[in-house]
Amino acid sequence: SQQGEEDPQALSIQEGENATMNCSYKTSINNLQWYRQNSGRGLVHLILIRSNEREKHSGRLRVTLDTSKKSSSLLITASRAADTASYFCATGQYGNKLVFGAGTILRVKS
Amino acid sequence: SQTIHQWPATLVQPVGSPLSLECTVEGTSNPNLYWYRQAAGRGLQLLFYSVGIGQISSEVPQNLSASRPQDRQFILSSKKLLLSDSGFYLCAWSVNGGGETQYFGPGTRLLVL
């Protein structure tokens, strides 16, 4: 079964706008990660936030984590057409697993 | 730097035929290795993972098997493919276990007819 549930399932925005995607999960985690997947390609790791962290930045990416609500958000600022992709959250479980959500499809229109 | 290779990139196979997908990692030693399957428009389902040569953990009972004959080689196999085996197969590696960052290969698209 999938741990992370992304919301929305699909998002369409104009270039230059911000994109926000949310992820909820059910059990205790070691960390939460976000990955990007361009169509027909492998996944690319974007950012990892540990369970004792609340916010993390990487370039135009901002990730927040609220362990009390078991939720995370990914904000992409000043989006570009090249940001068009599927975005997955993955929860790092104690042990050897990453459990992925179903993903959010982001389309950035130029 | 580390790289991960998968081949073939695309495969069309008849039902009942065997399968062998290969994944190799370069530039690191003793990686944790993973096989995932992704159905169209869906997330990733972990199939197998390995923490060392000959050590395979299976996550779901199915028609597939995995082997790790060398430190940086991970093979996904089937003796007889089913229609339901169609999908996008991704190999990944990580330095450590514990759900840490994973690095993915380009994937193999398998179509079983």
Side-chain angles (χ1 to χ4, degrees), chain B residues 11-112:
Chain B
L11 192 59
V12 180
Q13 291 285 97
V15 170
S17 63
L19 173 74
S20 180
L21 301 181
E22 190 163 344
C23 171
T24 58
V25 181
E26 296 177 355
T28 188
S29 297
N30 197 32
N32 288 347
L33 295 171
Y34 308 85
W35 276 113
Y36 291 90
R37 177 168 59 204
Q38 185 178 30
R42 301 291 300 276
L44 277 67
Q45 179 187 34
L46 179 63
L47 302 176
F48 301 95
Y49 69 90
S50 172
V51 299
I53 295 175
Q55 301 179 63
I56 309 295
S57 296
S58 174
E59 287 298 298
V60 291
Q62 59 202 318
N63 185 41
L64 302 169
S65 62
S67 62
R68 185 170 176 173
Q70 300 180 44
D71 181 45
R72 291 168 288 176
Q73 184 185 31
F74 205 23
I75 297 172
L76 183 69
S77 304
S78 174
K79 292 181 180 178
K80 288 186 178 182
L81 283 168
L82 306 172
L83 287 173
S84 58
D85 291 324
S86 293
F88 191 48
Y89 289 83
L90 289 156
C91 181
W93 71 274
S94 67
V95 174
N96 300 307
E100 296 296 318
T101 300
Q102 293 182 13
Y103 303 92
F104 285 80
T108 293
R109 188 162 303 282
L110 172 66
L111 179 60
V112 182

Side-chain angles (χ1 to χ4, degrees), chain A residues 2 30-31 33 35 37 40-43 45 48 50 88 92-98 100-102, chain B residues 32 34 36 38 41-44 46 49 51 59 88 90 97-102 104-106 109:
Chain A
Q2 292 179 332
N30 182 33
N31 62 69
Q33 303 175 38
Y35 289 79
Q37 184 181 34
R41 309 291 295 273
L43 276 72
H45 179 259
L48 180 153
R50 300 207 174 273
F88 295 90
Q93 311 284 306
Y94 294 98
N96 281 306
K97 301 178 187 180
L98 275 185
F100 287 82
Chain B
N32 288 347
Y34 308 85
Y36 291 90
Q38 185 178 30
R42 301 291 300 276
L44 277 67
L46 179 63
Y49 69 90
V51 299
E59 287 298 298
F88 191 48
L90 289 156
E100 296 296 318
T101 300
Q102 293 182 13
F104 285 80
R109 188 162 303 282

